[in-house]
């Protein structure tokens, strides 16, 4: 009997998955009630404007400015088909986001099987994801972040299911949608290199690069200045108010009266000035150092599914904790 068979059967896996999906959908539903709906910041209003423009034949980056990467565009355009009003668009967008979450749960089942996880461990992991919206809040309903998140999990699932080229293609699409899945490429590449050989690892890397190129290059050809402006806007953003670096400065502001300036720009609330800029630069440098340390540690140990998942998670945690922008 294999490790997978000892962990839980296919019927048990389906029950775990369906249970987690039900719990996830309940969590999303609860976000429409009570204090979760107070002081909402709806990015979907901007998404609708982009989506309707695309439905009417306007080309992003050329005919209208947009700060998001090309891989994010389907999440904006699909709910805009038929040019619905904002209420309907908002609802359709949330349905799309919910489907992305369900997709992430399905990929998690594949990963947990590859790890030989017990039914109890699988239930805990899937349940944690399903309840996470209650901790994140309603922001998860009005941002497209579950789209690249689902692609990131699918990428790791593909690698562990020995569909590594498809896995890297999913990571490439995630990178084209929002850059953060790129931090998963080094540990995944090391894993494939060690378990499947150098040639396969290079083919996987080529698959990811090809998908990024397929998504991005057409827009670069049509509107190079618009795409470049989008990249500059994202990479030169000031220190966002919710980031760890800003939290330290805000604590000093409340405890010791440190003077701070609010900068509402780039679609977020930020801290402006020389000190926040210096903290943002230091945070970015620390992020690079921590990521390199994580990837070196991943390469030095044995290539096991457990270690791939552990170091992939560590890479994402470092990116979220040390970045200048705390994205949903």
């Amino acid at each position: 009997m294999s490790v997978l068979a000892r962990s839980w059967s296919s019927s048990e896996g389906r029950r775990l998955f369906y249970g987690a999906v039900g719990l996830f959908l309940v969590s999303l539903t609860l976000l429409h009630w009570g204090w979760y709906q107070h002081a909402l910041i709806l990015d979907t209003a901007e998404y609708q404007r982009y989506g309707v423009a695309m439905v009417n034949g306007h080309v992003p980056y050329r005919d209208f400015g947009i700060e998001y990467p090309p891989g994010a565009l389907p999440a904006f355009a699909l709910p805009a088909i038929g040019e619905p009003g904002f209420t309907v668009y908002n609802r359709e967008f949330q349905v799309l986001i919910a489907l992305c979450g369900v997709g992430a749960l399905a990929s998690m089942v594949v990963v947990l099987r590859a790890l030989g996880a017990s039914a109890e461990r699988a239930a805990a992991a899937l349940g944690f994801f399903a309840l996470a919206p209650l901790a994140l809040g309603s922001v998860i309903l009005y941002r497209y972040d579950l789209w690249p998140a689902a692609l990131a999990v699918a990428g790791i699932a593909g690698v562990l299911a020995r569909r590594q080229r498809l896995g890297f293609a999913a990571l490439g699409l995630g990178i084209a949608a929002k850059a953060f899945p790129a931090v998963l490429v080094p540990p995944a590449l090391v894993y494939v290199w060690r378990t499947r050989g150098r040639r396969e690892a290079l083919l996987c890397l080529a698959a990811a690069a090809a998908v990024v190129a397929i998504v991005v290059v057409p827009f670069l050809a049509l509107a190079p200045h618009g795409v470049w402006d989008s990249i500059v806007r994202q990479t030169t953003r000031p220190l966002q108010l919710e980031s760890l670096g800003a939290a330290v400065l805000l604590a000093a502001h409340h405890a010791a009266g440190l003077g701070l300036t609010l900068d509402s720009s780039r679609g977020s609330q930020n801290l402006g000035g020389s000190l926040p800029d210096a903290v943002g630069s230091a945070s970015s440098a620390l992020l690079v150092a921590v990521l390199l340390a994580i990837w070196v540690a991943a390469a030095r140990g044995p290539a096991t599914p457990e270690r791939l998942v552990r170091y992939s998670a560590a890479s994402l945690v470092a990116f979220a904790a040390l970045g200048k922008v705390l994205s949903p």
Side-chain angles (χ1 to χ4, degrees), residues 24-41:
F24 176 69
L25 295 179
V26 168
S27 296
L28 293 184
T29 301
L30 291 175
L31 297 181
H32 293 89
W33 300 88
W35 64 273
Y36 282 118
Q37 288 293 298
H38 293 171
L40 295 177
I41 301 177

Side-chain angles (χ1 to χ4, degrees), residues 1-303:
M1 183 181 291
S2 69
V3 173
L4 299 184
R6 286 199 302 272
S7 58
W8 24 278
S9 66
S10 296
S11 60
E12 288 175 317
R14 285 194 294 270
R15 286 196 294 270
L16 287 169
F17 172 67
Y18 294 143
V21 168
L23 190 58
F24 176 69
L25 295 179
V26 168
S27 296
L28 293 184
T29 301
L30 291 175
L31 297 181
H32 293 89
W33 300 88
W35 64 273
Y36 282 118
Q37 288 293 298
H38 293 171
L40 295 177
I41 301 177
L42 305 180
D43 278 18
T44 44
E46 187 175 19
Y47 296 168
Q48 183 193 27
R49 181 169 62 84
Y50 297 148
V52 170
M54 286 184 279
V55 167
N56 286 323
H58 297 287
V59 178
Y61 310 106
R62 187 191 69 184
D63 300 332
F64 62 93
I66 179 170
E67 64 179 283
Y68 300 101
L73 299 179
F76 308 153
L78 288 174
I81 293 175
E83 299 185 49
F86 179 70
T87 300
V88 175
Y89 180 91
N90 220 19
R91 184 180 67 231
E92 298 301 321
F93 179 83
Q94 291 179 36
V95 170
L96 180 62
I97 290 303
L99 291 174
C100 290
V102 172
L105 282 167
S107 297
M108 285 181 67
V109 171
V110 175
V111 171
L112 290 161
R113 278 192 170 279
L115 296 178
S118 66
E120 293 76 16
R121 178 183 174 185
L126 295 170
F128 182 87
F129 181 98
L131 292 173
L134 298 179
L136 293 170
S138 57
V139 66
I140 199 171
L141 295 173
Y142 309 110
R143 306 292 191 278
Y144 79 98
D145 295 79
L146 272 181
W147 164 233
L151 292 169
V153 184
I156 298 300
V159 171
L160 291 179
R162 297 198 171 190
R163 299 291 186 271
Q164 54 273 359
R165 297 181 196 177
L166 286 176
F168 270 79
L171 289 177
L173 186 54
I175 293 167
K178 196 159 193 174
F180 76 83
V183 302
L184 303 179
V185 170
L189 189 67
V190 168
Y191 177 84
V192 173
W193 192 305
R194 300 273 292 279
T195 59
R196 310 291 288 177
R198 181 181 66 177
R199 180 177 182 275
E200 185 63 26
L202 293 176
L203 287 173
C204 287
L205 188 60
V211 170
V212 173
I214 289 170
V215 175
V216 175
V217 168
F219 293 100
L220 275 174
L222 289 170
H225 296 295
V227 174
W228 179 248
D229 181 65
S230 171
I231 294 172
V232 170
R233 282 174 58 85
Q234 288 297 313
T235 55
T236 60
R237 291 178 67 172
L239 190 67
Q240 190 188 24
L241 202 62
E242 291 85 0
S243 66
L244 180 60
V248 172
L249 294 177
L250 287 170
H253 169 73
H254 290 293
L258 177 67
L260 295 173
T261 302
L262 184 65
D263 175 14
S264 295
S265 63
R266 314 296 179 94
S268 61
Q269 287 71 48
N270 318 287
L271 294 180
S274 58
L275 179 58
D277 289 346
V279 170
S281 298
S283 178
S284 297
L286 181 59
L287 170 60
V288 172
V290 170
L291 284 175
L292 289 175
I294 291 171
W295 297 338
V296 169
R300 285 182 171 176

